[in-house]
Amino acid sequence: MRIALFTENYYVGGLDTYIITLINNWPNEDDQFILICNKSHPGINRYENEIKRDVEFIWHNHFHKNFFNKFILNFFNSVFLLKVVRRILSNMSCLFLINYLFFLKKTLLKSEPDRLIVVNGGYPGGLLCRAATICWGLYSNKESSIHNFHNIAISTSKFNIYQNLIDKFVEKYSKSLISVSNCSAESIRTRKSFQKTKKLSFIYNGIGDKNDCQYEDFRDILNIDKVSNICLMLGTYEERKGHKFILKVFKEVLKKNKNTYLIVCGFGSVLEKKAVKDYAMEIKVDKNVLFLNFVNGINNLFAITDILLIGSQEFESFGLTAVEAMLNRVPVVSTNTGGLKEVVENNNGGFVFDKNDYIGFSNKVIELLNNKKMGIEQGNKGHKRVKEKFSASRMSEMYYKAIQ
């Protein structure tokens, strides 16, 4: 069976990890994969370097929102204006949709796939992703596709005729609507066309065993001494990820544990990173915070990490970084936003707090830093939890059954 995975992505991160893990752990070795992705995606190298089986790659360069992203950020230097333009474009979706359908008819059917899984970063997410589902239903004469969305759905007004019409066709032409947690899956019912759908389900993201990578001593690379504590925050430099919350937490931690560093690591625009760095300087914690871009071989970072901190404030559907940490026996302290509370269980690999409770959050971080035995115990519990609920083989097997 030839299986096409279609995605539209502009960030390096969890969506890439999901696609790589799904393909590498697919249970049927005879199935062939075609990965269709926008050429502008900064994570293409990850696909080419980390996917272990033969895959046909199709990089498309169709007119899309990335043009507006670069134009506005480079010439107007305004995140606010970018959000306004995105909202306007969202309301003009139907005008672009017709153009996309003609483009996708050729792209999707080019390699003659038997099945299609659309991997959408969220919902509504990318218009190309929704158009791919509709296009497949209209032109393929094959079994309906799976529409897989990876973030909390954004509600829309029942009077938004264009968006509701697109939703109606996505629901009609999808065999299944699968998200990554129960919370994320149910969120799509806030949109009129999905309120009564019976096609909805969720499959938890999975992760494989730690890579046999060449370990480097990141303490030496980052110039951190051997006795200092290290907290880690992983995630794109988006506001919703809660960098300011974590920096407030870290300020409280430093009052009790001065020999502690916070490593902030992830993909983001220049403006997004600057906003986080400026806030660290504003609250005077910047001397103990190290800002990194996305890092390949994340196990090198986990090898020196005492605690993973997750501060997500909204639109957090799952929390793959929590699973990665637990696999590496690193305890997690997290907010309970969205699907995080399904992944991180209190006293079973980590602890969860309300997204506004930075005092309770920081007190738990301090407790874990001062009680190494507790940290080891939580790390072992988390490792066991990942093996039972979030393994790569379990995830891939469930998608394999869904597509049959």
Side-chain angles (χ1 to χ4, degrees):
M1 181 164 58
R2 291 173 58 78
I3 303 165
L5 293 178
F6 182 95
T7 190
E8 178 188 11
N9 196 1
Y10 302 95
Y11 283 91
V12 182
L15 204 67
D16 302 318
T17 302
Y18 159 79
I19 290 173
I20 293 164
T21 303
L22 181 69
I23 294 174
N24 285 345
N25 292 274
W26 194 255
N28 190 340
E29 294 183 0
D30 294 329
D31 288 341
Q32 298 173 309
F33 279 94
I34 306 145
L35 178 55
I36 307 171
C37 178
N38 51 295
K39 193 174 183 179
S40 59
H41 176 40
I44 282 176
N45 287 342
R46 286 197 66 196
Y47 295 146
E48 294 176 331
N49 295 332
E50 297 180 36
I51 292 176
K52 303 301 182 185
R53 60 192 290 167
D54 290 336
V55 173
E56 179 182 343
F57 295 108
I58 298 177
W59 312 124
H60 64 79
N61 197 25
H62 193 60
F63 175 76
H64 45 58
K65 68 180 182 183
N66 200 43
F67 170 81
F68 292 99
N69 291 5
K70 290 183 177 180
F71 180 78
I72 293 170
L73 290 178
N74 289 340
F75 290 93
F76 294 97
N77 200 31
S78 171
V79 174
F80 172 75
L81 181 59
L82 178 61
K83 290 180 179 179
V84 171
V85 171
R86 282 178 175 174
R87 179 60 61 90
I88 293 171
L89 290 176
S90 176
N91 291 329
M92 296 169 60
S93 292
C94 270
L95 299 179
F96 292 104
L97 182 65
I98 297 172
N99 174 269
Y100 285 175
L101 289 177
F102 283 109
F103 160 71
L104 287 167
K105 182 178 180 181
K106 179 180 178 181
T107 305
L108 274 179
L109 305 182
K110 180 179 179 181
S111 296
E112 300 182 346
D114 303 302
R115 296 285 191 276
L116 172 66
I117 301 176
V118 174
V119 184
N120 198 350
Y123 202 91
L127 179 57
L128 269 175
C129 288
R130 288 175 287 158
T133 293
I134 297 169
C135 180
W136 182 263
L138 288 173
Y139 301 122
S140 73
N141 294 319
K142 304 282 179 66
E143 185 169 317
S144 298
S145 62
I146 289 175
H147 196 94
N148 174 228
F149 61 101
H150 284 248
N151 215 328
I152 304 296
I154 299 172
S155 60
T156 186
S157 168
K158 63 181 179 180
F159 301 109
N160 192 328
I161 298 172
Y162 296 148
Q163 289 291 335
N164 290 331
L165 183 62
I166 293 172
D167 286 355
K168 184 176 180 180
F169 283 116
V170 170
E171 199 282 335
K172 177 180 178 180
Y173 289 121
S174 294
K175 174 186 177 182
S176 304
L177 298 154
I178 303 177
S179 195
V180 295
S181 67
N182 182 54
C183 174
S184 183
E186 288 299 320
S187 69
I188 204 171
R189 293 192 191 276
T190 60
R191 300 176 71 94
K192 179 181 177 182
S193 299
F194 298 108
Q195 287 177 356
K196 297 180 180 179
T197 185
K198 295 181 180 180
K199 300 177 179 180
L200 195 60
S201 64
F202 70 93
I203 297 173
Y204 286 136
N205 280 340
I207 190 167
D209 290 333
K210 291 190 289 184
N211 296 327
D212 296 326
C213 62
Q214 184 67 42
Y215 278 90
E216 300 177 79
D217 192 336
F218 261 39
R219 282 183 182 269
D220 287 343
I221 294 172
L222 300 174
N223 199 25
I224 300 175
D225 61 77
K226 303 293 183 183
V227 295
S228 292
N229 300 311
I230 296 178
C231 297
L232 175 65
M233 180 183 181
L234 292 172
T236 54
Y237 284 83
E238 297 173 89
E239 187 176 350
R240 68 184 179 91
K241 291 293 185 179
H243 288 81
K244 289 185 177 181
F245 175 87
I246 292 299
L247 289 171
K248 284 172 66 177
V249 166
F250 189 61
K251 184 175 182 178
E252 297 299 315
V253 171
L254 284 177
K255 291 177 182 178
K256 299 291 179 70
N257 296 75
K258 295 185 184 301
N259 64 326
T260 303
Y261 287 87
L262 172 65
I263 299 174
V264 180
C265 178
F267 182 84
S269 70
V270 174
L271 286 179
E272 288 169 331
K273 292 176 187 175
K274 184 179 184 302
V276 177
K277 290 179 181 179
D278 287 349
Y279 187 73
M281 293 179 65
E282 180 185 327
I283 64 173
K284 299 178 180 178
V285 298
D286 53 296
K287 291 182 179 179
N288 287 68
V289 182
L290 291 86
F291 295 97
L292 306 179
N293 295 320
F294 179 84
V295 173
N296 278 320
I298 201 66
N299 295 329
N300 287 309
L301 273 180
F302 282 127
I304 64 170
T305 297
D306 294 291
I307 308 170
L308 178 75
L309 311 182
I310 303 176
S312 300
Q313 299 294 292
E314 60 180 351
F315 300 116
E316 192 59 78
S317 57
F318 182 72
L320 186 62
T321 56
V323 177
E324 290 175 321
M326 290 190 288
L327 180 68
N328 283 272
R329 289 186 164 87
V330 174
V332 180
V333 183
S334 171
T335 57
N336 60 2
T337 304
L340 281 167
K341 54 184 171 288
E342 297 177 46
V343 177
V344 184
E345 187 175 72
N346 265 320
N347 199 34
N348 193 14
F351 300 90
V352 290
F353 293 87
D354 184 80
K355 67 179 184 178
N356 299 312
D357 186 11
Y358 76 94
I359 296 297
F361 195 114
S362 60
N363 286 339
K364 182 57 67 176
V365 173
I366 293 167
E367 183 181 1
L368 280 166
L369 290 176
N370 293 335
N371 188 341
K372 299 299 182 182
K373 183 179 178 181
M374 180 184 182
I376 293 171
E377 179 184 280
Q378 290 302 318
N380 289 333
K381 285 183 177 180
H383 185 265
K384 181 180 178 182
R385 179 170 170 78
V386 170
K387 292 295 185 181
E388 291 174 350
K389 297 198 65 152
F390 306 115
S391 70
S393 57
R394 182 179 185 273
M395 177 192 76
S396 296
E397 182 68 36
M398 293 180 74
Y399 277 101
Y400 176 70
K401 290 178 179 178
I403 207 171
Q404 291 299 307

